[in-house]
Each structure stands twice: as structure tokens, then as C-alpha cells.
Amino acid sequence: MIIRPNFKNAALTALLLLVACADNSAVEQAADNSSPAVPSGKTQTQTTYLGADAWPAAQSPLPLNAAMEKKIKAFVAQMTIEEKVGQLIQGEIKETTPEDVRNYHLGSVLNGGGSMPNRNKHATPQEWLDLADAYYDASMDTSDGKAAIPIIWGSDAVHGHNNVIGATIFPHNIGLGAAHNPGLMREIGNVTARETRVTGIDWTFAPTLAVVQNDRWGRTYESYSEDPSLITAYAKEMVYGLQGVPGTDEFLDANHVIATAKHFLGDGGTENGDDQGNAKVSEAELRDIHGAGYAPAIAAGVQTAMASFSSWNDEKLHGSRYLLTDVLKGRMALDGFVVGDWNGHGQLPGCTNQSCAASINAGVDMIMVPTDWKQFYHNTVAQVVSGEIPMARLDDAVSRIVRVKMRAGLFDKGRPSERGIAGKPDIIGSPEHRDVARRAVQQSLVLLKNNDDILPLKAGQNILITGDGADNIGKQSGGWTITWQGTGNVNTDFPGGTSIFDGLNRAVSDAGGQTELSVDGSYTARPDVAIVVFGEDPYAEYLGDRDTLEFQPIHKTSLKLLQKLKAENIPVVSVFLSGRPMWVNPEINASDAFVAAWLPGSEGGGIADVLVADGQNEPRHDFRGTLSFSWPKTPLQDVLNPHHSGYDPLFKLGYGLSYASAGGIVEKLLEDVEGVAKAGADNYAIYAGRPQAPWQVWVSDEQSTILLSGAYAALPSKAAVVTTADMTVQEDALNISWSGQKSASMFIQAGGSETNYDFSTILKAGGTLRFDVNVEQPPRGEMLLKIACGQNCERTIDIAAQLGTMADKGWQAYALKLSCFAREDDTFDVISRPFMLKSSNKAALSVANITVSKQTDTTHQCP
């Protein structure tokens, strides 16, 4: 039985209708925006729908312009099939050159997370702009006699222009939701648009309108709230900020960007919080909960929507004609275009990344096909010629894409470098922009506990600031920050940014006190108070999916630090960094005050603004944030929403203490509850889609050692290159190639203070080192597999012969007894480097899913 929201579906639907149509009474109803009837490309399951009329109707604030529509029609009529198909394709900048754009008349490019011009993480704004100009020039080249249609560049500017060094990084959406301030969203959208425009980019894949219902999902922090009414309030304001207000001169001017409402639909409602999973909900719940933000976004003039990776009741959204065409384009009147997500079309039955008529026929207008776009281009041309994709559907898709480009003025504004504020780097990370982000941080903080009114911190105190997040802007910013996962960043990657320590140090000093920074909690002078900054390490998408909501189920390093300080009778203030509510009862118990800071971004000074009093011991800023997600009482409360039965949180939706409010006392919480992990792990994941905390990936030779901080790392000597690769999903593996010029290695080692792990119980249990491997070019000499096991302890075996038998056979499992590495007296209780591959020979292979496990079965004997 589907559980209905207790705030009444009918009332919410009426509210959505009202919001969607507000201020548009004088706007002429646009023509029917649904696509022409086309075959689906696959056999449909027998599904009974409520019908598009049961969904909220929206009305675009931009009635179709007769002169523009006439121009679009004439434009499309003169295009060849090949030109039209080119407009439907969006390639990734690593895989798409300006010459490709010229030859194939491509409609769009994107930079995926962690993708930068020339693979240079520190590419300057001018380098971004130069590449934008090169793509534009190629798209406008008519030397082959074909039409000039300006290319559009899309980017995931999801909490600021977060791909660019020096940009203002805002709190992730979960923190913005806690602020409960719709007006602030417009300011943030405007700042993001301006900084994006400096680099010549036209289009952002934001805002995310997911209404997350299961907090185990790795994209929970991309959602403003579990409450659809907050999404409704925020959607319109964020679109206004990014695009400008329709009917004004600022709308899609040279200082604004095209926005994207995503991910349509139900991405936040998947079973078990499974990224790209299946939302098993009724159509009424899909509409009223997950669809809440779309009608307001369309009423605000949003020009594009992105199809979701996920499924609704077993049907992939990339193939749902009912939702994409009948509901979104028809009932909701989106007259812009629908873009697919990263190879999302390839997940449809009968489709591959290289071919998918079904997705186009369902209503996806632009296909995001990052690497395989040439094959997709040729296959799609053939499908149009054969009639599998009707010409009417192709023309509809192209017309929508051209319409958005015309509305954005791309035909008239010239090269990206000639538009508005383009090429003015001082705008990126400007003091005015950082002030907006700092206010957002102040308003996002939620005070969960404040026993004995320990906060605000008093003037003149000696403050110990500790924890692995204290002086770590990368950790406080989270995923989708410079790199896709947000990993591999250091403070120097954030010029102009402020760590939480920097902000606290300045505020405490201004109030006559002093600070000491110590990651491990040691100190030279006994502090009056300790501030411990800890939390989740950065992640993005499916790599953040969790089994439970317990914060540190195994190693509990943060809890040990808190308990150490409490045992020394030092009052403790915890600042918790996370992309979701988590079960942290032991950590709350070990704290006198506990602040949910979410993922605050580059302006860590906003935390000190609230935590530290002025010289007269008066708060400089009070806590304003309240929970936009319910806080769990047990690790298993992943679905915890007021409209679901059995709602019993630790802290309810809307909870949040302040200095002005009475109370703040939180009694000791239960720690031995259902779902708590027991001691003695059976498996230690080293690399599962990405390096698991605290591990990091490095590449090294005798002269250089380089951290993999994104998708690519190469030694200056070119002795070895490491890139991310795909095993089952996007970038879930590592590819290592050795040139054979000199000895080089790829190794995984802890990057923080927690540098050693204890594998002794696994060794005693006869456990194994396990990984998946794809041997593309076997070594013509030794390939050493190594483990570092403490001071002057390194154990090595040569697996070259075994790899040779696995060459050119695709992905295969490799499992070897841990005892193969051990000498007689080894205990393996201090493991600092659990995996290294080293060779001086030419070779190439990919590895994934590296684990040390008590599982005893093997695929290979000791060499």
C-alpha cells in the first residue's frame, strides 16, 4: 500500500497549480508543446497511468514568438539529417575537439566533474574561455556550406562555479535547505551565473530538485530537503537567480546562464537510496513529492530539464515517453529541451551507449554521450534514415534546441569572450560574492546540542581546534568541488577561501583569545574549550551510497578523539561535516555542544561568525538554521519523513536551537541500538569506486610522487600514467599504464593522520587480498604487488606470470591469500600501504574493487 502524505495530496497539487500560474495571467498560452507521436523503440509494459491531466499544469512565462518560430522552422528545414543529428549530441571536452564540432556540427559539449581544459586542474579562467571560443568558432564555421549554429557548453556548477580554481564555493544544497531562505537562493544563483559567465560557459546543470526520501543515497546533499514544500519555494528563486527574471532585460543576458531542472523524475525516491535505482512509488506520490519543484521552475522560465538515471516502477526515465513527453513537455509545458544524463540512455533495454533510438523517441532531445558520441552519431543517422526515429521527432528535438539557443542570444552575442563579463577574472571569487557565501554558511548551521550554554565561545579563551576537518577546505566543501568526487584537494587549491580553522583563529583573536591547531588533539597549553571538526570525507553520486547511517561503523577515529578530550575534562564543541543526517549518538554524547555544519564550502569564516562571541561575550550572529531533513535515532532510520508511517526521529524536521531560545540540554542518548556495527570487520574496502577513506591513490617514480586528484595523474617522466576507467559504472576503476622507460608504481596509502590499519585478524583467519583486473597489455618482465606493513616492513610478490594468463580476457577476479605476503613473525597489525603495483616494464591494466577480506576462497596460488 502506498503511504499518502499527511499534508493532503489535493491541497499540495492545488498549491503547485497556483505557484505555476502565478503572475502569468497575461501570458498567452503557448502552442501544444508535446512531441509528435512516435514509436517508443521497445515493448511497453502494461502500466496504468493517472494521465497527464492529473499533473499540475504550468505555463511558460515566454509565449512562443511567432517570428522566432518561423525562423526556427526555416532553419531546420534547410538542415541535412547529419546536421540535425549533430545538434542532438553532447560530447565531453576530453573526448571532443573543436575540429570534431566543426566536422560533425555538434550541438553541445560538457565538462564532466573533474574535467578541465587540457586536463589541467589549475586551468585559469582564461584557458576555460579560450576553449569556449575555440568550440564556438568551430560551430560557426560555414566553410563546408552547412548551417552555423552556435554550440552550447554545459557544466555542473552546482554549488558555485565549482569546477574552477578560485571560484566561490557555496554550501551544498542540504545546507541551503537548512537556511529556509528562498531569497538567498536568488542571490546564490546570480553569483554562480556571473562566475560561470566569466569562463565563457552558457549553461549549468542546476538546480537539483530532488526530494530525497532515503538518506543513504549518495546524492542526499544535492537536495534542499525531504519536504516538497521547501523545494517548491526554492525552485523558482534559484532559476530566477541563474537565468534572470523573464520579461526583464536581465533574462538570459550576457551575465546569466541557462538553468536545468533535474533530475526528472523520482531520483530522490529510489528503493534503499540506491543511486540510479528504482523508485517504487505510486504516481500520486511521484507527482506530489518528487514532482513538486518542476512546475514552479517552468513557471520561472527554466529552459532545460535533465532526465534522471533512475527508474519509476521498473521503467527507466530516459525511456519514459509518458513522463518526458506527455507530462513534462505536454502538461507542464516545457518548451525548451530535455537533456539526458551521462550515458543514461545506454541503460535502456535494447540500447547501448553507442545507440538508442528509444530514448530520443521517448522525449530526450539532447543525448549526453561523453565518449562514444561518434558511434552514436552514425547509428542515429542510420535510425533516422530507416524511419526508426521519425523525421518529425528529430525536427522537434532540433527545434527545441535551437529555440533555447535563440532565446539565450547565442546567435547574436558573438564569441563567448565578447559577451558581458567574460574574461574578467577578478569577478571569480570576488569579496562581494564570498560575502554571499559566508552569509549562506551562517544561516545553514543547525545547533543540535548546547549543554551548559558552552556556545557562543567567550572572549579571551584559549581554544584548541582539532579534527581532520579543522583546516581542510576540501573536506568542508564536499563532492563536486574541483574534482568530481571532491577528493585530492588541498587548501592551496582554494585561493581566497577560508578554512574553518582560519575563520575561528581570526574571530577568537579579535575577541582577545588564542587558538592552537592540532589535528590529533594534542596541545601545548591546556585549552579552555576544544572545537573538534570532523565528518564525512568527500564523495559524489553512487560512491556516497551507504549501507546504514552510522557515521563511523568500524574505526571510530573521531569518537576516540572526542572521548580523549572529555577524559581530560576539556569541554568539547563538535562541528560535524556531512552530506546527510547521520547516526552520531556516541559523538553527540561525547560533546557538550554539537553543530550540524553540513558541507559549508569555501567560506569557513561563516562558522566562526556564529560560534564565537564578540569582545563583550555577545553573539555576533545567532543560529538560524533548522533541519530540512529529519535526524535519525538509529542507524537504520534511512527513510524518515513526516509523511511516512512510524515517524520517530531523534530530532524532528524543523528542529534547531538558538541562543535566543531557552533550553538546549540534550540528555545522554542511547548508543546500543539496532543496526550498530559490531567490532571486528570482515572486509576492509580499499578502493570501491574510489579510494575509501582514509586511502588515497598515488603514482610515483624515483624523482616524483603525485596524488591522483581527479581523473588523471601523470609523472613528469611519463614513466606511469593513472586515469579513472569504467568497469560497471562511470569511473569506478583505475587504469595504470607503464611506459617502460623507468621503474614506477601506483600505490594506495592513507593521506591523513590515520595512517595504519590492523589486518591481523584477517591474516589469522586465512583471509585474502582481492581485486578485479583487466589486463590490456601484460608486462614483459616483473610486476610487483607490494604491501607496506610498518617501519622497515615491505612485503613483495611478483604476479607478472599470473597477469600474463589473464591478458585480453576482460575483467576478471583476482584473489590471493594475505599469507602469501607474510613472513614467519609478521602480524600485519600496522598496515600503512595495503596495495602497490610496481614495474619497470611496458604494461597496461585496470583494477577495481580492491578489498582485504576474511573471505578465504582464492583464484590464484602464492607465486
Side-chain angles (χ1 to χ4, degrees):
M1 177 179 178
I2 296 298
I3 299 167
R4 306 291 183 185
N6 60 13
F7 42 72
K8 295 184 174 62
N9 290 338
L12 180 59
T13 302
L15 173 63
L16 293 175
L17 287 164
L18 180 63
V19 171
C21 299
D23 302 321
N24 290 321
S25 57
V27 179
E28 178 183 352
Q29 174 63 45
D32 178 15
N33 291 302
S34 60
S35 300
V38 294
S40 67
K42 72 179 187 71
T43 302
Q44 294 292 322
T45 58
Q46 295 298 314
T47 303
T48 301
Y49 300 122
L50 295 177
D53 289 347
W55 288 71
Q59 184 174 338
S60 170
L62 302 166
L64 297 181
N65 179 287
M68 180 182 290
E69 293 305 306
K70 183 176 180 180
K71 186 175 181 180
I72 292 170
K73 186 174 182 180
F75 212 97
V76 173
Q78 70 178 358
M79 295 171 69
T80 65
I81 291 175
E82 289 78 8
E83 289 176 276
K84 293 175 183 179
V85 169
Q87 285 300 299
L88 271 59
I89 289 176
Q90 183 179 63
E92 214 283 334
I93 62 171
K94 295 195 301 288
E95 307 290 340
T96 311
T97 66
E99 190 65 21
D100 290 329
V101 171
R102 178 182 294 109
N103 292 339
Y104 290 89
H105 298 272
L106 301 184
S108 180
V109 292
L110 82 149
N111 62 286
S115 178
M116 300 89 172
N118 304 313
R119 295 183 182 268
N120 178 13
K121 176 178 178 179
H122 294 91
T124 65
Q126 187 61 48
E127 289 176 276
W128 287 84
L129 187 57
D130 289 344
L131 185 56
D133 274 349
Y135 283 130
Y136 173 84
D137 292 344
S139 70
M140 300 303 285
D141 186 342
T142 58
S143 60
D144 59 1
K146 295 181 179 178
I149 302 179
I151 198 165
I152 184 172
W153 182 338
S155 185
D156 283 287
V158 294
H159 64 138
H161 195 15
N162 43 266
N163 299 282
V164 175
I165 296 289
T168 305
I169 307 299
F170 290 95
H172 269 297
N173 288 351
I174 192 169
L176 300 181
H180 290 85
N181 186 348
L184 181 61
M185 298 309 102
R186 191 183 299 200
E187 291 186 73
I188 290 171
N190 182 262
V191 169
T192 301
R194 287 173 58 81
E195 297 200 7
T196 302
R197 274 299 195 182
V198 170
T199 59
I201 293 174
D202 319 286
W203 178 21
T204 177
F205 302 138
T208 297
L209 303 179
V211 186
V212 175
Q213 302 294 284
N214 188 314
D215 301 342
R216 286 164 51 194
W217 188 33
R219 305 189 78 159
T220 296
Y221 65 77
E222 296 186 52
S223 172
Y224 298 114
S225 180
E226 69 189 37
D227 178 5
S229 66
L230 187 62
I231 310 297
T232 297
Y234 273 23
K236 198 168 191 176
E237 293 299 323
M238 185 57 82
V239 172
Y240 281 160
L242 291 167
Q243 294 190 164
V245 178
T248 69
D249 291 341
E250 70 173 13
F251 181 69
L252 290 180
D253 65 9
N255 298 331
H256 288 83
V257 295
I258 295 164
T260 308
K262 71 178 189 182
H263 307 86
F264 193 84
L265 187 63
D267 51 342
T270 60
E271 188 175 33
N272 299 320
D274 180 23
D275 189 55
Q276 305 184 23
N278 188 20
K280 295 182 178 180
V281 299
S282 70
E283 187 171 347
E285 186 169 343
L286 186 73
R287 175 194 66 199
D288 297 339
I289 303 296
H290 302 285
Y294 288 91
I298 291 168
V302 73
Q303 290 299 288
T304 70
M306 182 179 289
S308 178
F309 276 124
S310 59
S311 303
W312 172 47
N313 292 332
D314 301 317
E315 182 181 26
K316 282 288 181 181
L317 266 295
H318 275 70
S320 176
R321 175 178 167 80
Y322 172 67
L323 290 175
L324 295 178
T325 297
D326 298 349
V327 173
L328 181 60
K329 295 180 179 179
R331 179 66 171 172
M332 291 188 178
L334 177 73
D335 59 10
F337 65 85
V338 174
V339 63
D341 209 339
W342 187 286
N343 284 332
H345 59 281
Q347 298 183 12
L348 296 188
C351 288
T352 65
N353 292 348
Q354 297 82 20
S355 177
C356 192
S359 193
I360 295 172
N361 286 339
V364 178
D365 303 300
M366 181 177 285
I367 304 293
M368 188 186 293
V369 52
T371 60
D372 301 313
W373 62 263
K374 287 184 182 178
Q375 299 97 313
F376 190 92
Y377 168 89
H378 291 298
N379 287 328
T380 304
V381 168
Q383 288 158 353
V384 174
V385 171
S386 72
E388 186 177 0
I389 299 174
M391 185 63 70
R393 173 67 192 109
L394 179 64
D395 288 350
D396 172 66
V398 175
S399 296
R400 289 172 176 275
I401 293 166
V402 173
R403 180 182 298 125
V404 171
K405 291 181 177 182
M406 285 187 175
R407 283 177 174 168
L410 302 187
F411 284 87
D412 310 316
K413 293 175 181 174
R415 305 175 85 211
S417 60
E418 298 168 354
R419 304 172 193 166
I421 56 177
K424 298 181 179 179
D426 290 346
I427 290 174
I428 292 181
S430 70
E432 297 80 9
H433 290 178
R434 293 189 185 278
D435 283 346
V436 176
R438 186 166 178 165
R439 280 194 286 117
V441 175
Q442 295 166 8
Q443 296 179 30
S444 70
L445 304 177
V446 179
L447 181 61
L448 300 181
K449 177 180 180 179
N450 192 23
N451 288 10
D452 300 323
D453 293 325
I454 189 173
L455 293 176
L457 299 174
K458 309 304 185 287
Q461 288 183 314
N462 176 28
I463 309 293
L464 173 67
I465 303 172
T466 183
D468 64 355
D471 194 29
N472 189 334
I473 303 177
K475 180 159 184 159
Q476 74 192 42
S477 297
W480 291 109
T481 305
I482 305 177
T483 64
W484 174 39
Q485 293 295 311
T487 54
N489 296 322
V490 295
N491 285 0
T492 54
D493 292 326
F494 299 88
T498 303
S499 73
I500 294 171
F501 165 73
D502 287 335
L504 289 168
N505 182 49
R506 192 171 303 134
V508 170
S509 177
D510 289 346
Q514 60 185 3
T515 66
E516 181 176 359
L517 175 66
S518 167
V519 173
D520 63 3
S522 60
Y523 47 84
T524 56
R526 181 178 175 82
D528 297 311
V529 179
I531 300 176
V532 185
V533 187
F534 65 98
E536 290 188 288
D537 288 308
Y539 56 82
E541 298 195 42
Y542 58 88
L543 294 173
D545 288 359
R546 295 181 66 97
D547 294 329
T548 76
L549 294 179
E550 185 175 2
F551 165 52
Q552 285 186 328
I554 299 175
H555 304 295
K556 304 185 186 300
T557 53
S558 297
L559 178 61
K560 292 174 183 176
L561 175 56
L562 296 172
Q563 291 173 335
K564 166 190 175 295
L565 295 166
K566 288 296 288 183
E568 296 167 359
N569 294 316
I570 298 171
V572 173
V573 175
S574 286
V575 177
F576 185 55
L577 304 173
S578 72
R580 66 192 116 207
M582 304 196 75
W583 188 78
V584 284
N585 284 16
E587 288 81 2
I588 293 176
N589 285 338
S591 307
D592 297 282
F594 197 95
V595 178
W598 313 112
L599 300 170
S602 62
E603 304 313 301
I607 291 176
D609 291 339
V610 181
L611 267 60
V612 182
D614 62 19
Q616 288 72 47
N617 288 330
E618 293 296 326
R620 296 184 298 151
H621 295 271
D622 203 347
F623 283 91
R624 289 185 49 179
T626 59
L627 293 178
S628 62
F629 284 84
S630 305
W631 201 274
K633 185 179 288 185
T634 78
L636 303 182
Q637 286 183 309
D638 46 11
V639 177
L640 187 62
N641 311 295
H643 51 272
H644 288 130
S645 63
Y647 180 67
D648 182 28
L650 180 62
F651 301 117
K652 292 183 178 181
L653 185 71
Y655 174 90
L657 304 172
S658 70
Y659 298 140
S661 63
I665 300 296
V666 175
E667 302 296 340
K668 185 173 181 179
L669 305 173
L670 294 177
E671 297 184 11
D672 187 11
V673 299
E674 184 182 8
V676 174
K678 303 304 179 183
D682 291 336
N683 297 284
Y684 288 90
I686 310 297
Y687 191 97
R690 65 181 184 124
Q692 300 299 291
W695 307 114
Q696 296 175 336
V697 177
W698 301 79
V699 58
S700 179
D701 61 14
E702 290 88 344
Q703 282 76 43
S704 304
T705 299
I706 296 175
L707 173 69
L708 178 67
S709 59
Y712 177 85
L715 292 166
S717 65
K718 303 300 181 184
V721 175
V722 179
T723 63
T724 54
D726 299 348
M727 178 182 171
T728 56
V729 291
Q730 175 189 344
E731 297 186 12
D732 63 341
L734 294 169
N735 178 267
I736 313 101
S737 60
W738 289 264
S739 68
Q741 298 173 358
K742 60 191 304 187
S743 179
S745 62
M746 182 282 290
F747 62 89
I748 297 177
Q749 180 172 292
S753 59
E754 182 69 21
T755 56
N756 300 315
Y757 272 33
D758 183 354
F759 292 165
S760 59
T761 59
I762 294 179
L763 178 63
K764 291 177 182 177
T768 50
L769 172 65
R770 318 178 71 85
F771 55 93
D772 294 307
V773 62
N774 180 12
V775 182
E776 295 129 24
Q777 183 176 358
R780 295 184 177 178
E782 66 182 17
M783 176 65 71
L784 303 180
L785 180 60
K786 293 173 171 265
I787 289 177
C789 44
Q791 188 173 8
N792 300 320
C793 177
E794 186 174 76
R795 303 294 179 251
T796 304
I797 60 175
D798 185 357
I799 61 171
Q802 295 174 339
L803 294 179
T805 67
M806 304 172 78
D808 299 321
K809 294 181 180 179
W811 284 98
Q812 298 171 76
Y814 185 97
L816 191 74
K817 289 283 189 182
L818 201 58
S819 58
C820 293
F821 296 90
R823 297 178 185 174
E824 184 175 354
D825 295 329
D826 285 344
T827 60
F828 285 2
D829 59 342
V830 181
I831 299 293
S832 57
R833 186 182 294 168
F835 189 88
M836 173 189 276
L837 287 171
K838 184 174 184 179
S839 184
S840 57
N841 303 287
K842 189 175 180 64
L845 56 84
S846 297
V847 294
N849 301 320
I850 305 170
T851 304
V852 177
S853 172
K854 286 185 179 178
Q855 189 173 341
T856 58
D857 63 294
T858 63
T859 61
H860 293 78
Q861 300 298 313
C862 298

